[in-house]
Amino acid sequence: MNVTIVTTGRADYGLLYPLIKELNASDCFDLNVVATGTHLSPLHGNTISHIQQDGFQVSPVEMTAHGDSEDAICHAIATGLVGFSSVFQKSPPDLIIVLGDRYELWAICMAAVIHKIPIAHLHGGESTSGAIDESIRHSVTKMSTFHFASIPAYAQTIIQMGENPDRVHVVGALGIDNIKNMPLMNIEEMAEYTSIDFTRNNVALMTYHPVTLDEYASAQHQIQVILEVLVQRDLLILVTMPNADTGNNKIHETIEIYCQKHPEKFLLIKNLGQRAYLSAMKYAKVMIGNSSSGIIESASFQLPVVNIGDRQGGRFKPSNVIDCQCSPESITAALDKALSVDFHHAIAGIDNPYGDGNSAKRIVQLLESIDLSDKTRLVKKEFHHRP
């Protein structure tokens, strides 16, 4: 079977990596990896090179957003739709695999639907009420033939949307596979890689993405509120880049200003990489921001998380996650709780509800059992009515 996995940037590639390895090792699949989105952006480090360094054959499809406005993103989607249609016209795969809720998925999946190519979607059924991602994710669900959900509650959401239960599978989250199977850096390696001494026990990991359903100008105000609170804390903040969403440039520019003004407090590393990022989660004292990794992967490290705002609103959150509003008072109170000895004791030994580290193997076993020879039958979907 010819299977194409599409990765839109460093974040989803890190999650897809164990699945790519499993598919590549299977005798049942002829695998093609396609890189698009920020993988091809100099601003974000041209991370297509990371895929090549991992030893995978990868094809580029251009759809880089030239700017972070709504118009720039719409142009990128239009460019991607043309590009993926051309790829699928020349060499249609038997199946494409996509993950998550990035706007690039609209271009990929619309082209696949028009070209009658079945889609397998990972991480459907989830909720991010503060972001446009929710609309994208649910629309991709309706375009997809197969669904690999991270937890049972999300599988039920997919079925509630009219999808056939026989094609909805609970497999866990791929991010847990990396935690279980990837050899993480020790503290000395992390010090060499990041110039940060994690033995100080006051390092915070921060990732803050635009809340894309808020007004464009709000991104700069929100990140300023957060950084002003953090300036007052006895923490060294390791900051990673925001997603390439509407308003990300304002967040990036503001972080750069604070790094220059307070170099003893903030360090921005644009391309931390999956191994170093997970290692930072292992050694950090607290995680701050609104990244999905703070919801899904963090519990595996018993890491306190201060989840700011409503970008991740609606997701199932383990007990190590503290929700707060984007205000100085709310962030301060959440940080006080997250850094307290009592809270660290309360979350010690918690289980991660998002998986056991075997998601990639489950997905490959399920795909190996599917007959993809009759694509026409697979793409003709009926609305499944629940009893």
Side-chain angles (χ1 to χ4, degrees):
M1 293 183 287
N2 294 313
V3 174
T4 292
I5 286 188
V6 185
T7 168
T8 66
R10 58 185 171 84
D12 71 3
Y13 174 67
L15 299 177
L16 288 166
Y17 175 77
L19 179 58
I20 294 172
K21 282 183 61 180
E22 286 290 332
L23 287 169
N24 211 35
S26 172
D27 294 333
C28 296
F29 305 104
D30 182 7
L31 180 65
N32 179 39
V33 180
V34 174
T36 189
T38 56
H39 276 307
L40 311 181
S41 165
L43 177 65
H44 293 85
N46 285 318
T47 50
I48 187 174
S49 62
H50 295 182
I51 306 172
Q52 295 164 335
Q53 289 165 10
D54 286 336
F56 302 122
Q57 293 292 323
V58 57
S59 307
V61 175
E62 177 61 51
M63 60 178 304
T64 305
H66 300 290
D68 66 345
S69 68
E70 291 90 345
D71 186 61
I73 288 172
C74 286
H75 276 276
I77 293 170
T79 301
L81 180 57
V82 173
F84 277 96
S85 179
S86 178
V87 169
F88 296 154
Q89 178 67 27
K90 294 174 183 174
S91 182
D94 296 309
L95 179 76
I96 69 164
I97 300 173
V98 295
L99 181 148
D101 48 29
R102 292 287 305 161
Y103 66 78
E104 293 93 344
L105 299 193
W106 265 337
I108 299 159
C109 294
M110 281 193 287
V113 168
I114 298 299
H115 285 273
K116 307 178 192 62
I117 300 168
I119 301 166
H121 183 210
L122 284 64
H123 279 277
E126 303 182 11
S127 182
T128 45
S129 60
I132 194 174
D133 303 3
E134 177 141 337
S135 298
I136 297 168
R137 185 188 308 107
H138 292 339
S139 60
V140 170
T141 291
K142 295 310 299 180
M143 288 189 274
S144 298
T145 302
F146 304 105
H147 310 274
F148 300 111
S150 58
I151 61 175
Y154 297 151
Q156 288 304 310
T157 300
I158 295 169
I159 295 168
Q160 185 178 346
M161 294 171 66
E163 295 302 294
N164 187 335
D166 293 339
R167 295 180 176 181
V168 181
H169 308 281
V170 180
V171 297
L174 283 170
I176 314 304
D177 288 36
N178 284 326
I179 295 171
K180 297 293 185 182
N181 303 313
M182 183 178 289
L184 301 183
M185 298 180 180
N186 59 37
I187 286 184
E188 291 75 20
E189 289 177 289
M190 284 298 290
E192 183 176 350
Y193 191 82
T194 65
S195 302
I196 292 176
D197 180 9
F198 281 84
T199 63
R200 291 171 53 182
N201 197 33
N202 72 333
V203 180
L205 178 63
M206 175 179 162
T207 303
Y208 191 76
H209 302 303
V211 184
T212 48
L213 288 179
D214 287 350
E215 293 295 325
Y216 178 88
S218 65
Q220 184 171 13
H221 170 72
Q222 290 165 2
I223 192 64
Q224 284 177 330
V225 168
I226 297 166
L227 296 175
E228 277 299 313
V229 171
L230 295 178
V231 165
Q232 310 302 320
R233 309 296 298 215
D234 181 25
L235 293 169
L236 173 59
I237 319 296
L238 172 57
V239 189
T240 66
M241 285 282 283
N243 279 347
D245 293 324
T246 306
N248 79 90
N249 285 343
K250 292 298 182 184
I251 293 176
H252 178 205
E253 290 167 4
T254 304
I255 291 170
E256 291 278 18
I257 291 169
Y258 274 77
C259 287
Q260 293 169 13
K261 288 174 61 178
H262 306 281
E264 78 288 355
K265 300 287 298 185
F266 300 102
L267 174 65
L268 172 65
I269 298 183
K270 294 183 177 181
N271 293 301
L272 197 56
Q274 187 75 1
R275 182 168 177 249
Y277 185 80
L278 293 175
S279 301
M281 291 181 74
K282 178 179 180 179
Y283 300 119
K285 189 175 182 66
V286 65
M287 187 172 183
I288 302 162
N290 61 3
S291 169
S292 61
S293 59
I295 311 300
I296 296 173
E297 286 96 337
S298 63
S300 296
F301 300 104
Q302 290 83 56
L303 174 65
V305 175
V306 174
N307 178 57
I308 302 171
D310 59 0
R311 181 181 173 97
Q312 301 298 336
R315 280 196 196 271
F316 177 81
K317 300 182 181 74
S319 58
N320 63 307
V321 179
I322 303 167
D323 288 329
C324 69
Q325 298 302 309
C326 191
S327 70
E329 299 78 14
S330 187
I331 297 170
T332 298
L335 273 171
D336 288 343
K337 180 178 179 179
L339 295 170
S340 69
V341 173
D342 287 346
F343 189 73
H344 276 260
H345 287 165
I347 65 174
I350 63 170
D351 292 324
N352 193 325
Y354 281 96
D356 59 3
N358 294 302
S359 298
K361 292 183 184 297
R362 290 192 188 97
I363 294 168
V364 171
Q365 287 172 358
L366 287 164
L367 291 176
E368 287 175 344
S369 69
I370 294 170
D371 180 8
L372 293 174
S373 60
D374 188 357
K375 291 190 289 184
T376 302
R377 176 184 59 83
L378 292 175
V379 297
K380 290 181 178 178
K381 294 171 49 176
E382 296 181 356
F383 191 95
H384 178 81
H385 293 276
R386 302 179 74 190

